[in-house]
Amino acid sequence: MFKAIAATFLAIATSFSILLFSPPPKSYYHSLFISDSLSDNVSISHHLYTLTRRPHVAGSQANAEAAAYVLSTLSSCNMQAHIVSYEVLLTYPASRSLTLTRPPPEPPITFDLKQEIYDGDPYADVANEVLPTSHAYAKSGSVTGAVVYVNYGRLEDYDTLKEMGVNVTGTIVLARYGQIYRGDIVMNAFDAGAIGALVYTDRKDYGGGGGDAKWFPDDKWMPPTGVQVGTVYNGSGDPTTPGWASTQGCERLSVEEVERSGDVPLIPSLPISGADGETILRSIGGQIAKDDWQGSNGAPTYKLGPGPGVVNLNYNGKQVIATIQNVIGVIEGVEEPDRFVILGNHRDAWTFGAVDPNSGTAALLEVAQRLWKLQRIGWKPRRTIILCNWDAEEYGLTGSTEWVEENRELLASRAVAYLNVDCAVSGAGFHAAATPQLDELLKQAAQQIQDPDNSSQTIYEQWVGSTHSPVLTYSLTRTYSVKIGRLGGAGSDYAAFVQHIGVPAADMLFGGGYPVYHSMYDDFVWMENFGDPMFHRHVAVASVWGLVALRLADEEFLPFDYHSYAFELQKSAEELEDEISDKGVTFSHLFKSIEELSEAARKINNQKKEIKEAKGWTSMWRNDHVKVRELNDRLMMAERAFTDRDGLLRRPWYKHLIYAPSRHNDYGSTSFPGINDAIEKAKNLNTVESWDLVQHEVWRVSRAVGHASLVLKGELT
């Protein structure tokens, strides 16, 4: 009796001691993180200026120096920082040429394929370090053929040409960039029978619409000689190590095996400027293109061809096994060090990279510095926070993919979420995409932070206000036409986390499409004049990014809500059912699985509420922390259940059955990609067997959703 009373008094005394001497709640530090006292737009501006002083493509000395700068900054923030290197296949242009032969008496034209330096360009002294304009992983070769104009090079564009009687076989296609991934432009051209592809930057899309429009440095628009470069690889990671990490001395596919994989183009291609594209368009005769295929005011009348203009395209690339460097910084969690909240941004750029990607790198370093300021006044994260600065993203999401493949098992069992920022800032307006269980968390974070362009409202209020108006797309490729987009496209480093191993993820940015994307004009001057003159948008995106990370790292219960997931799946399934309602494919079992997911989401939310209500000073005698941990594990692991070990048909690296890239647009976000691929094939073949495959894919998704429900419930059958 006496011992029991003494124990009770000791517990009460301990509780009062904790109340009197406990540190501030985590929410105090979170509010401080987003306050003006910790943010620093001058520091962000300095980071961006330093990172973009020279072009720094993957594998270059300049990019290694940028890695050293990031490593030094993270280390100065009291982080355990280190570099993880991989040996990967990269390509660089060795030589290229383009000649246009026009009908007599017009003389032939050999294009110089150069982006012009403007008067007063502060980067003129290092402009020669910019790689010659080309496509990474392009097929080497020399081809000559009549030119056919194919609009944006989409499947529907080739359907239109076929309907108009235009034969693409044996020609070189001229496509304008902007609606689909450039690698798919080249692949679609090959599938249509073309022998080469030219991709140009139309001033209608990137040059301000023609007419009296000005261009950089006088305005934000792409100069006539500007060229969007980039990769045409359709896979993720090092092409020679599909599915495993490119460590030194590892197994590799041969170049011939890579070509047989179907992920690299089999015809030569070249990116060219808007000015060169218009010159070639003037040489094309034949039928006049449709109105929505035409250019801007002042452009020539676009015709389809073939010819009479003939081009000779020469490209010779060199393949190199190069060293790339990911920079990793770690703040170890105090209570749950084996649970990881991961923030990521890539560092490599095709040229100077002020928007893509180093606006995001500058924001990452700002987050790191603010976290260090919190640590100095007593904050310690509950869970481990990992800051990642990836390399070789531009070649094919390579650095992040290799790291995920190397650490697959640990990440699959310990990663809470991955938060990506690529092009952090290119203008006004906040946009985000996420796996649906993070929707509510993103909204709540945006409600706490002031809009950098209107101090009378929050970011969330601006975000909601822009939802019903036209929204520019990120790099004119990734669409955010809804309030929160989804992560089915392969546009950035979230891909390996979501689509390969099933980790909840988010991606966020300010702005959207920007005209000088992947050109030599994406520099600090453009950012300072047009993207973010006061660097307040950089501060804001760092605030949202860091606050979401802090809540995931610090809150006792993971702030996930799977009701949003069930709603999204229901909506997508209904749309698919309507699309093929007359094909005999049943969705009833999928709708039943989604209903079970909704019920599991309701149940786990109620369990969370019950544990919270039961907590009090007496809870120290109960094992509540074990219940919390077990519930959080269910929330964390449910996303993994949407993956399938066999992956998508003919695309086995993509394991996620809910979100993956569209088969003919790597940037396009598709719900139920396996079902969509099967429907596309069935529409072409229209056989009983092809529609049976659609039904099989519906069953696969139904089973995956059912598995996710079981994980959320935490009960064996």
Side-chain angles (χ1 to χ4, degrees):
M1 178 74 175
F2 176 77
K3 287 183 179 180
I5 294 171
T8 301
F9 277 112
L10 178 61
I12 293 171
T14 302
S15 299
F16 278 116
S17 174
I18 291 171
L19 289 171
L20 288 171
F21 300 105
S22 62
K26 292 295 177 69
S27 59
Y28 164 79
Y29 295 110
H30 299 178
S31 297
L32 196 58
F33 179 87
I34 62 176
S35 68
D36 292 340
S37 61
L38 261 65
S39 62
D40 190 346
N41 62 326
V42 174
S43 176
I44 292 181
S45 172
H46 173 73
H47 288 316
L48 187 64
Y49 177 81
T50 303
L51 289 163
T52 59
R53 184 64 190 90
R54 294 169 60 194
H56 48 287
V57 71
S60 67
Q61 178 59 34
N63 200 38
E65 291 170 5
Y69 178 79
V70 172
L71 179 67
S72 174
T73 304
L74 295 183
S75 297
S76 71
C77 295
N78 199 37
M79 288 190 188
Q80 305 168 33
H82 63 283
I83 285 178
V84 181
S85 297
Y86 297 100
E87 307 296 316
V88 303
L89 178 70
L90 302 180
T91 69
Y92 304 98
S95 64
R96 79 260 196 271
S97 66
L98 184 66
T99 301
L100 170 65
T101 301
R102 300 174 292 180
E106 299 292 334
I109 297 174
T110 298
F111 298 100
D112 64 13
L113 304 177
K114 290 182 179 178
Q115 302 183 80
E116 291 182 357
I117 299 168
Y118 60 88
D119 290 340
D121 184 352
Y123 299 104
D125 61 323
V126 291
N128 63 336
E129 296 180 24
V130 175
L131 280 183
T133 52
S134 62
H135 286 148
Y137 301 113
K139 174 75 172 176
S140 292
S142 177
V143 291
T144 301
V147 186
V148 172
Y149 170 56
V150 297
N151 196 24
Y152 292 107
R154 302 166 296 186
L155 292 180
E156 56 263 41
D157 295 326
Y158 286 100
D159 290 340
T160 298
L161 290 170
K162 187 175 181 180
E163 291 168 4
M164 297 178 72
V166 177
N167 185 5
V168 177
T169 303
T171 68
I172 294 176
V173 303
L174 176 68
R176 53 181 174 181
Y177 184 60
Q179 293 296 316
I180 63 172
Y181 169 58
R182 74 188 72 80
D184 290 308
I185 293 175
V186 182
M187 290 288 190
N188 292 346
F190 172 77
D191 290 341
I195 60 172
L198 300 171
V199 187
Y200 80 101
T201 305
D202 198 304
R203 55 175 160 159
K204 180 180 180 180
D205 298 312
Y206 296 90
D212 297 327
K214 297 180 179 180
W215 54 78
F216 185 71
D218 298 316
D219 207 333
K220 67 178 182 178
W221 302 106
M222 178 80 94
T225 65
V227 179
Q228 288 185 34
V229 301
T231 187
V232 288
Y233 174 48
N234 275 13
S236 291
D238 183 351
T240 68
T241 61
W244 65 91
S246 296
T247 53
Q248 193 168 18
C250 71
E251 176 189 9
R252 293 186 185 277
L253 301 184
S254 66
V255 173
E256 293 74 23
E257 288 172 314
V258 170
E259 287 198 349
R260 288 198 298 270
S261 73
D263 287 332
V264 295
L266 298 177
I267 56 174
S269 66
L270 202 63
I272 61 174
S273 69
D276 292 348
E278 285 195 5
T279 298
I280 295 172
L281 280 162
R282 288 189 176 92
S283 77
I284 300 176
Q287 301 176 66
I288 295 176
K290 298 192 307 178
D291 288 346
D292 59 351
W293 286 40
Q294 294 296 328
S296 59
N297 293 335
T301 299
Y302 293 3
K303 298 180 181 179
L304 301 177
V310 173
V311 296
N312 173 246
L313 188 170
N314 283 283
Y315 175 75
N316 183 34
K318 57 181 178 181
Q319 299 180 331
V320 178
I321 298 296
T323 300
I324 63 170
Q325 298 178 313
N326 293 335
V327 185
I328 312 293
V330 180
I331 305 174
E332 190 168 329
V334 174
E335 296 169 65
E336 298 183 73
D338 60 341
R339 292 293 177 263
F340 306 151
V341 176
I342 306 169
L343 291 75
N345 152 270
H346 76 95
R347 179 187 66 258
D348 65 296
W350 285 120
T351 62
F352 296 95
V355 174
D356 183 9
N358 298 129
S359 59
T361 315
L364 183 74
L365 298 180
E366 164 74 1
V367 169
Q369 290 175 325
R370 288 197 219 174
L371 293 179
W372 169 224
K373 292 173 184 175
L374 290 184
Q375 286 180 281
R376 290 164 64 183
I377 59 172
W379 167 80
K380 296 177 181 178
R382 178 188 184 93
R383 303 178 184 93
T384 294
I385 295 176
I386 304 174
L387 276 64
C388 304
N389 186 228
W390 311 116
D391 202 351
E393 186 269 359
E394 296 292 2
Y395 276 83
L397 315 179
T398 308
S400 59
T401 298
E402 299 310 311
W403 192 75
V404 168
E405 289 175 345
E406 183 170 39
N407 297 285
R408 182 186 295 113
E409 304 309 321
L410 270 179
L411 292 171
S413 61
R414 299 184 180 186
V416 170
Y418 174 72
L419 307 175
N420 190 70
V421 171
D422 190 332
C423 303
V425 179
S426 60
F430 180 76
H431 304 288
T435 47
Q437 73 276 67
L438 292 175
D439 286 0
E440 191 60 30
L441 175 59
L442 283 167
K443 295 175 189 176
Q444 291 172 5
Q447 287 168 347
Q448 290 185 247
I449 299 163
Q450 182 179 292
D451 178 7
D453 295 291
N454 184 349
S455 60
S456 67
Q457 65 179 7
T458 64
I459 288 175
Y460 180 74
E461 289 167 328
Q462 168 272 309
W463 192 8
V464 170
S466 68
T467 299
H468 302 296
S469 59
V471 180
L472 278 173
T473 57
Y474 161 71
S475 303
L476 300 182
T477 52
R478 232 188 303 174
T479 303
Y480 293 101
S481 57
V482 294
K483 191 181 299 180
I484 299 180
R486 298 300 165 218
L487 298 176
S492 195
D493 290 301
Y494 55 75
F497 290 90
V498 178
Q499 298 157 13
H500 190 58
I501 61 173
V503 172
D507 184 51
M508 58 200 83
L509 58 89
F510 270 86
Y514 70 105
V516 297
Y517 171 63
H518 281 196
S519 75
M520 70 177 287
Y521 308 109
D522 180 8
D523 62 18
F524 188 82
V525 174
W526 190 94
M527 178 62 75
E528 198 172 36
N529 289 336
F530 306 111
D532 192 10
M534 300 303 294
F535 287 84
H536 290 156
R537 295 164 188 160
H538 283 76
V539 168
V541 77
S543 294
V544 179
W545 196 8
L547 181 59
V548 171
L550 283 169
R551 290 193 56 188
L552 287 166
D554 283 341
E555 291 193 7
E556 185 176 24
F557 293 91
L558 292 178
F560 290 173
D561 188 348
Y562 279 86
H563 276 302
S564 294
Y565 227 126
F567 176 80
E568 283 285 317
L569 296 182
Q570 180 76 18
K571 182 176 65 173
S572 298
E574 288 173 355
E575 290 171 356
L576 275 182
E577 185 183 42
D578 290 343
E579 181 184 345
I580 56 171
S581 57
D582 60 340
K583 300 301 182 183
V585 177
T586 177
F587 283 75
S588 57
H589 40 280
L590 176 55
F591 287 122
K592 185 175 184 296
S593 294
I594 294 170
E595 186 179 338
E596 291 172 354
L597 180 66
S598 183
E599 174 60 23
R602 184 196 63 78
K603 183 176 180 181
I604 198 168
N605 285 348
N606 287 340
Q607 290 172 343
K608 187 190 301 185
K609 184 178 179 182
E610 289 169 5
I611 297 174
K612 284 181 178 179
E613 290 175 349
K615 291 182 73 65
W617 69 268
T618 57
S619 67
M620 65 180 62
W621 289 303
R622 296 195 301 269
N623 218 12
D624 280 355
H625 66 281
V626 175
K627 292 182 180 178
V628 172
R629 171 83 168 195
E630 188 273 338
L631 186 145
N632 282 338
D633 282 353
R634 285 188 272 146
L635 290 168
M636 180 180 75
M637 297 302 293
E639 185 72 40
R640 316 287 197 271
F642 293 122
T643 63
D644 184 284
R645 63 176 176 270
D646 294 329
L648 300 180
L649 186 63
R650 295 188 298 277
R651 296 192 289 161
W653 186 88
Y654 294 103
K655 308 294 184 185
H656 209 285
L657 299 189
I658 310 301
Y659 297 117
S662 165
R663 188 167 183 82
H664 292 281
N665 180 11
D666 209 44
Y667 284 146
S669 179
T670 299
S671 298
F672 307 136
I675 301 175
N676 273 287
D677 287 351
I679 289 174
E680 181 185 307
K681 184 176 181 180
K683 284 181 176 179
N684 289 330
L685 299 176
N686 202 25
T687 62
V688 173
E689 292 78 13
S690 64
W691 288 108
D692 284 346
L693 179 60
V694 174
Q695 186 67 77
H696 170 65
E697 290 296 334
V698 174
W699 274 113
R700 289 184 75 197
V701 173
S702 302
R703 289 191 287 270
V705 176
H707 293 155
S709 300
L710 289 174
V711 172
L712 281 181
K713 291 176 184 176
E715 299 170 357
L716 293 171
T717 57

